[in-house]
Amino acid sequence: MTSFYRKDIDGLRAVAVSAVVIYHTQLTLWGREVLPGGYLGVDVFFVISGYLISMIMLRQHAAQQFSVIDFFVRRIRRIAPILLVVLSATLVMGWFTMMPEPFSELASTTLAALGFSSNFWFWLEDSYTAAPSQFKLLLHTWSLAVEEQFYLILPFAFPWLLRRGQSVTVWAIAATAAASLALAQYSTADARDFAFFLPLTRIWELLIGTLVAILVFHNRLPDLKWMRKSCQTIGLLVLLAAFLYFDETTRHPSLLTVIPIAATSVIIAYGHGHETTFSPLTWRPMVYLGLISYSLYLWHWPIFVFTRGLQMGHLIGYSVALAIALSVLSYHFIEKPFRRNYSGLVFSSAVCAGLGIVVTASIFVISMGGVPSRLPFDVSDRKRDNLEWNGLACHMRDECIVNWDEDRPKFILVGDSHAGAISGALGRAIIEKGYGYAQFTSSACLHIEGVTNPARNMAFNEDCTRRAVKLQNFLSASRPATIIHFGYYSYWLTNYRLRNYEGEFDAPALQPVPPFKTTQLALQAGYNSWIAKGHRILFIAPVPELMFNPFAPFSAASFAPNLSRPRTPVALYDVFTRPYYDMLAQLSPMNKFEIFSPRAAFCNDEMCQYEDDTGVFYTDYDHLSGKGARVLTDALLSQSSIGIPH
């Protein structure tokens, strides 16, 4: 059987992988992301895969040479060798850089990737407790899983349909694709993870490739000369427009996704039989990039994740170069030999050995809880304080009241998760002195009416409003007390996080981000209402935010001896807290509140620290650990004049 290799298909693969890689670099130009829709490159791959595999099956079926066993052997030869190498390399890098819990998670995800079920793994993850996407080393394997799940059905269903005639085949595939697209359109409204990860809402993209293969194979396309000449160009322009104008807010996959899918289909359909036509897709650099695209897709994402996880995001350009270099080597020394040269015995022995090593290593890592003994420090000592942040078990409850009677001084801790993080230390100190203590803290809620969280949905904000009303009712019924209010004010007032700060630090040139006026007014109104009810307020100013996460998945090296980690300059901390102090300066009367600054507790004249010889002050970028909460509480008790004796 003659080969039907098409250089323009490899050129199209180059377009797809370039879009994905550029998108993952988060490259910006003039303040705008260069390819906000670059993620559509994966959808282009889906159409290409559907077309190529279906065309192979059509040709083999017509020649009565199709074999299910041969189909799966070819798939394994294509996919398995380099996948095993990348998974092995990822585990090795994780051994040296990752904390135990995320390393164990990586091992579990590795097994899911080997079983081509990682799309279900990521879909079933709890989005609240799961690591952020940028720290999931094998997140990109979800698309391989979708393809392989498609390949589990196609070699059985497609030949069966072909035996029933071309018309039945086309209508059955078209109906299945339409149902899948309809489900995708419906699911993206309320179940975006379901729509994004699962084959039920993605199979239509692969089936479009199958339909194109049928039309091309049976010469059912309109064959007007002007269409042959212009369709690839038009398709490329439409595809580029989709890369430029789609973004993370676009419903996807959905009816809008039909635009890049249709453009890809046109490029493939009208390139058939005209591979020698002058086209950017047939340029030798494009074709070569397409040849290494599978390796590049597998390598680039783990390299990017390690680069960012190790606080080296400014080296992303070097990461791209490394990914390309490894892809070139992988293509010539792994992909090509295993696909074409090695005998069945050599191939199967190598794959089985590699599979056994990766599976055994993954099971070992999981069974050993991420193998904490490999690290040069006692992880339990470093992280023990993290468990204390919610020591009173009051966080997220509607209310928590202890020793609340007429004759005691009373203190009420109010705020979001930052307040919850200090509740164990501060609440215990107040209760041990015999004072009345109440707590109203909830993650992402400040307990003030009119202050909403734009990152959360309507139901969440309605619950925050309910909590704020409950607090107001409690304050109205309570005798005068001291309200201790603490929160993530840089987020609430400006939505700017210090962790996103990049570039050389120049304090005089750095201006504070203007606060949200509506949020500022709502906060001031809430504070004034508390004062009007006869209560005093002790404001705890924001703690210094870190420029790195000491317990991030890749922070194992951050506690290694003699390793310097980025510390927050005091001048930068002052700039970022200025909107908070400006807001409080407008409150009145002044004698009804006090502001406590944690600056002296965590900073010297130049830098703010994240640990001392006895422990780490933070659990992440901005939440205090049990150790940090005790440092803050001790400083508060010794410095405050509002009535909490030390």
Side-chain angles (χ1 to χ4, degrees):
M1 185 180 298
T2 59
S3 172
F4 71 102
Y5 172 70
R6 291 175 52 179
K7 292 190 294 183
D8 63 314
I9 294 290
D10 273 326
L12 187 57
R13 281 178 169 145
V15 172
V17 77
S18 297
V20 172
V21 171
I22 293 172
Y23 172 70
H24 286 154
T25 63
Q26 301 174 2
L27 182 65
T28 59
L29 189 63
W30 297 307
R32 187 184 187 276
E33 193 172 354
V34 172
L35 283 185
Y39 57 83
L40 294 169
V42 172
D43 303 86
V44 175
F45 276 125
F46 283 159
V47 181
I48 293 173
S49 296
Y51 169 80
L52 290 177
I53 204 70
S54 300
M55 182 62 81
I56 291 172
M57 293 178 66
L58 282 166
R59 289 162 62 86
Q60 291 179 341
H61 179 81
Q64 297 184 342
Q65 296 177 349
F66 177 73
S67 164
V68 173
I69 294 176
D70 179 66
F71 175 89
F72 284 113
V73 168
R74 291 168 68 93
R75 288 294 87 209
I76 294 171
R77 280 185 176 271
R78 164 70 170 158
I79 292 170
I82 183 58
L83 177 62
L84 287 170
V85 170
V86 172
L87 293 179
S88 300
T90 303
L91 285 172
V92 170
M93 279 296 294
W95 177 276
F96 292 104
T97 63
M98 298 184 76
M99 298 294 283
E101 291 87 345
F103 188 43
S104 179
E105 183 80 3
L106 170 63
S108 299
T109 312
T110 299
L111 295 178
L114 285 173
F116 299 109
S117 58
S118 59
N119 57 330
F120 285 95
W121 175 276
F122 294 123
W123 170 56
L124 291 171
E125 275 189 327
D126 185 337
S127 61
Y128 185 80
T129 59
S133 294
Q134 66 267 26
F135 288 147
K136 297 176 183 177
L137 282 157
L138 300 178
L139 180 64
H140 63 322
T141 62
W142 75 268
S143 62
L144 297 181
V146 169
E147 283 195 23
E148 295 313 307
Q149 289 153 17
F150 175 69
Y151 294 153
L152 288 176
I153 300 172
L154 192 68
F156 302 101
F158 195 36
W160 183 85
L161 286 172
L162 289 174
R163 290 193 293 270
R164 276 144 186 82
Q166 181 182 331
S167 179
V168 171
T169 302
V170 170
W171 279 106
I173 292 174
T176 305
S180 173
L181 174 58
L183 180 61
Q185 174 67 21
Y186 174 78
S187 302
T188 49
D190 299 306
R192 295 194 69 172
D193 285 349
F194 174 91
F196 187 87
F197 285 117
L198 296 195
L200 289 175
T201 53
R202 290 289 190 168
I203 196 172
W204 68 275
E205 301 176 38
L206 292 130
L207 290 176
I208 292 298
T210 300
L211 288 175
V212 172
I214 294 172
L215 294 175
V216 169
F217 184 77
H218 293 288
N219 295 314
R220 294 301 181 91
L221 291 168
D223 195 18
L224 300 177
K225 186 175 181 180
W226 68 269
M227 296 184 70
R228 289 283 185 181
K229 289 183 176 181
S230 60
C231 277
Q232 274 204 336
T233 301
I234 294 172
L236 281 171
L237 291 175
V238 172
L239 199 55
L240 177 60
F243 293 157
L244 290 172
Y245 291 104
F246 277 60
D247 59 27
E248 292 182 352
T249 66
T250 305
R251 289 181 62 172
H252 172 75
S254 68
L255 288 172
L256 286 173
T257 313
V258 172
I259 296 172
I261 296 299
T264 304
S265 302
V266 167
I267 294 169
I268 294 173
Y270 284 97
H272 176 73
H274 288 253
E275 293 80 22
T276 59
T277 303
F278 178 78
S279 166
L281 297 180
T282 60
W283 292 349
R284 293 183 67 179
M286 292 291 288
V287 173
Y288 186 77
L289 184 58
L291 290 172
I292 67 169
S293 60
Y294 176 52
S295 288
L296 182 56
Y297 182 78
L298 287 180
W299 278 117
H300 87 281
W301 179 250
I303 291 173
F304 287 6
V305 172
F306 277 122
T307 300
R308 293 192 173 106
L310 295 173
Q311 305 296 316
M312 296 187 295
H314 58 289
L315 300 178
I316 197 70
Y318 294 99
S319 300
V320 174
L322 176 61
I324 293 174
L326 289 174
S327 302
V328 170
L329 294 174
S330 300
Y331 174 70
H332 288 286
F333 296 104
I334 300 174
E335 285 196 71
K336 286 179 67 177
F338 275 100
R339 270 194 282 172
R340 301 177 184 176
N341 299 332
Y342 294 145
S343 66
L345 180 61
V346 173
F347 171 79
S348 57
S349 299
V351 169
C352 288
L355 184 64
I357 291 171
V358 174
V359 170
T360 302
S362 298
I363 293 174
F364 171 74
V365 171
I366 295 169
S367 64
M368 297 298 291
V371 200
S373 59
R374 66 193 158 85
L375 301 176
F377 54 86
D378 188 341
V379 178
S380 61
D381 284 345
R382 293 288 185 174
K383 297 205 71 174
R384 186 178 295 120
D385 278 339
N386 293 12
L387 304 177
E388 191 180 332
W389 83 282
N390 194 17
L392 291 177
C394 288
H395 187 59
M396 300 298 292
R397 287 168 54 178
D398 276 358
E399 62 181 38
C400 186
I401 303 172
V402 182
N403 296 337
W404 206 262
D405 55 49
E406 296 294 328
D407 299 329
R408 303 172 187 264
K410 300 173 179 63
F411 298 89
I412 309 170
L413 178 62
V414 178
D416 56 18
S417 57
H418 283 216
I422 67 170
S423 62
L426 181 59
R428 186 175 296 110
I430 293 173
I431 293 170
E432 286 176 352
K433 295 181 182 301
Y435 300 147
Y437 177 77
Q439 181 174 329
F440 293 81
T441 64
S442 179
S443 297
C445 292
L446 279 183
H447 294 75
I448 295 177
E449 290 185 76
V451 178
T452 58
N453 191 329
R456 302 303 178 97
N457 59 30
M458 182 180 297
F460 185 93
N461 282 305
E462 287 176 350
D463 183 65
C464 285
T465 299
R466 179 190 63 80
R467 292 175 182 273
V469 171
K470 190 173 185 64
L471 172 63
Q472 285 283 32
N473 293 337
F474 179 81
L475 294 177
S476 297
S478 172
R479 294 175 64 87
T482 297
I483 301 170
I484 304 171
H485 199 249
F486 185 36
Y488 191 10
Y489 295 105
S490 62
Y491 171 78
W492 289 105
L493 285 172
T494 65
N495 196 26
Y496 199 93
R497 293 172 166 89
L498 184 55
R499 71 190 74 165
N500 296 333
Y501 177 77
E502 296 180 358
E504 295 296 324
F505 173 64
D506 182 6
L510 185 64
Q511 298 298 317
V513 179
F516 299 137
K517 195 65 177 177
T518 54
T519 302
Q520 179 178 332
L521 292 175
L523 287 171
Q524 290 169 335
Y527 298 147
N528 284 325
S529 72
W530 295 350
I531 294 173
K533 289 179 170 61
H535 302 288
R536 295 167 61 87
I537 306 177
L538 171 58
F539 292 105
I540 301 178
V543 294
E545 185 176 345
L546 300 185
M547 303 176 79
F548 79 105
N549 182 350
F551 288 106
F554 306 99
S555 63
S558 66
F559 301 117
N562 303 320
L563 180 68
S564 175
R565 301 301 294 172
R567 295 175 298 167
T568 304
V570 168
L572 187 60
Y573 168 61
D574 290 343
V575 168
F576 276 81
T577 55
R578 194 179 305 162
Y580 173 72
Y581 288 106
D582 290 345
M583 176 195 67
L584 295 184
Q586 301 178 42
L587 296 181
S588 61
M590 293 295 291
N591 63 346
K592 286 292 186 178
F593 70 87
E594 179 183 348
I595 305 171
F596 168 75
S597 172
R599 189 174 187 266
F602 295 99
C603 309
N604 56 32
D605 291 339
E606 296 182 353
M607 292 288 178
C608 299
Q609 312 299 321
Y610 69 91
E611 68 172 341
D612 62 16
D613 293 336
T614 63
V616 184
F617 301 148
Y618 293 80
T619 62
D620 54 25
Y621 291 100
D622 46 77
H623 290 88
L624 292 179
S625 64
K627 168 67 178 177
R630 290 192 296 274
V631 170
L632 178 72
T633 298
D634 289 344
L636 177 66
L637 297 182
S638 63
Q639 296 178 29
S640 171
S641 62
I642 205 162
I644 312 178
H646 192 272

